[in-house]
Amino acid sequence: EPEVTQTPSHQVTQMGQEVILRCVPISNHLYFYWYRQILGQKVEFLVSFYNNEISEKSEIFDDQFSVERPDGSNFTLKIRSTKLEDSAMYFCASRKGFLSSGANVLTFGAGSRLTVL
Amino acid sequence: KNEVEQSPQNLTAQEGEFITINCSYSVGISALHWLQQHPGGGIVSLFMLSSGKKKHGRLIATINIQEKHSSLHITASHPRDSAVYICAVRSRGSQGNLIFGKGTKLSVKP
C-alpha cells in the first residue's frame, strides 16, 4: 500500500534554530498538506500546496514557516527560527485530487515530532 | 465556540459492544472525515463522507447534512479498536483546511 513518508521521526532543536521537516507524498498525488498537533491538543491545519504553490494557509502559518517542493518527490516544511511553542507533532498528508474514487481521501504520514528546547 | 464538537470525549467499552461516536459541526461543509489516531500518534483515514452512509468491515459512518451531524459506529468492538477517533470537516470552498474535533478516546477492554 502506498505510504506518505516523513523524516525525521523526532527532532530536538534549540530555540532560534532552523528546522526542516521532510515528506515524500504518494507519487501520483497532487495536493499536499501540513498539519500540526501540540501535545494533548487537537490537530490543526497549517498549509495546503498544489501546482507548486500554496493554495491555502492558516493563521498559524506565519512568516516563520515556509513550504517547498524542491524536486518531484519531496515536500518540505521549514521553520526559520523555532520557538518553544513550535514543539508539536507535524503531520504531512497528500491526496490524489482527480474526480475519481478515492480522489479526496487523505493519506497521512506517521508524523515528525519536534521538540524545541 | 468549537466548530466541530465530538461526544463523548472518553469512552470505555467491553469487547463485543456496539460503539457510537458522535460529531456535530456548525459550518457549511463539502466533506467530513473520520480519522483514527493510534497511541504512537499516527493518523489513519477511515472514511470521507459528503452524504449518506459508508461501511468498511465493522465500521459504519453516517452523515446528516441537514442536521450537521455525523456518527461513527463500531460493531463487535475489539481491544485493537482502542484509539482516538477524530472527526474533521472540510469547509465549503476549502481545498484542505480541515477543522478538527478534539477526538474521542476509545478504550475497549477484553
Side-chain angles (χ1 to χ4, degrees):
Chain A
E1 176 124 7
E3 286 184 344
V4 174
T5 306
Q6 288 188 241
T7 55
S9 55
H10 188 193
Q11 180 156 356
V12 181
T13 191
Q14 294 291 325
M15 194 168 59
Q17 294 296 303
E18 176 183 282
V19 159
I20 297 176
L21 305 178
R22 290 183 168 79
C23 171
V24 180
I26 293 173
S27 60
N28 63 348
H29 283 194
L30 300 178
Y31 292 84
F32 314 112
Y33 308 91
W34 283 101
Y35 299 91
R36 80 168 186 193
Q37 186 177 33
I38 295 170
L39 188 64
Q41 298 187 23
K42 62 182 181 180
V43 181
E44 300 171 290
F45 167 76
L46 290 178
V47 66
S48 61
F49 192 87
Y50 169 72
N51 200 26
N52 281 320
E53 60 183 25
I54 291 173
S55 48
E56 203 170 348
K57 61 182 181 179
S58 72
E59 290 175 356
I60 303 167
F61 194 87
D62 61 21
D63 292 344
Q64 291 300 312
F65 290 89
S66 62
V67 288
E68 205 176 32
R69 191 157 157 81
D71 52 42
S73 57
N74 289 286
F75 178 51
T76 61
L77 174 69
K78 183 193 289 187
I79 310 174
R80 287 193 183 83
S81 177
T82 50
K83 303 189 281 284
L84 294 176
E85 53 265 38
D86 294 327
S87 295
M89 181 78 99
Y90 289 81
F91 292 100
C92 174
S94 68
R95 68 179 175 99
K96 217 183 276 188
F98 284 120
L99 291 173
S100 62
S101 174
N104 290 313
V105 175
L106 276 173
T107 303
F108 286 82
S112 291
R113 182 168 297 285
L114 176 64
T115 302
V116 183
L117 302 175
Chain B
K1 182 183 183 300
N2 286 322
E3 291 159 300
V4 179
E5 295 274 6
Q6 286 187 236
S7 62
Q9 270 188 292
N10 293 284
L11 182 55
T12 301
Q14 286 300 127
E15 183 172 355
E17 282 184 11
F18 181 81
I19 305 287
T20 295
I21 299 170
N22 295 299
C23 175
S24 296
Y25 53 91
S26 57
V27 297
I29 69 167
S30 56
L32 181 143
H33 296 255
W34 280 104
L35 310 167
Q36 182 190 54
Q37 186 169 32
H38 284 281
I43 297 175
V44 174
S45 183
L46 299 175
F47 294 104
M48 192 206 68
L49 294 161
S50 51
S51 64
K53 176 179 174 178
K54 285 190 177 178
K55 184 177 191 291
H56 182 70
R58 294 181 295 106
L59 302 178
I60 303 165
T62 63
I63 188 167
N64 185 317
I65 297 291
Q66 286 74 28
E67 293 186 6
K68 294 187 174 178
H69 181 269
S70 175
S71 293
L72 176 69
H73 305 285
I74 305 175
T75 60
S77 59
H78 189 276
R80 66 174 173 265
D81 297 327
S82 298
V84 175
Y85 291 84
I86 301 171
C87 172
V89 301
R90 186 164 78 233
S91 53
R92 246 182 251 128
S94 167
Q95 292 205 19
N97 184 357
L98 290 183
I99 306 168
F100 292 78
K102 291 182 179 179
T104 294
K105 186 174 181 181
L106 172 65
S107 178
V108 182
K109 306 288 186 194

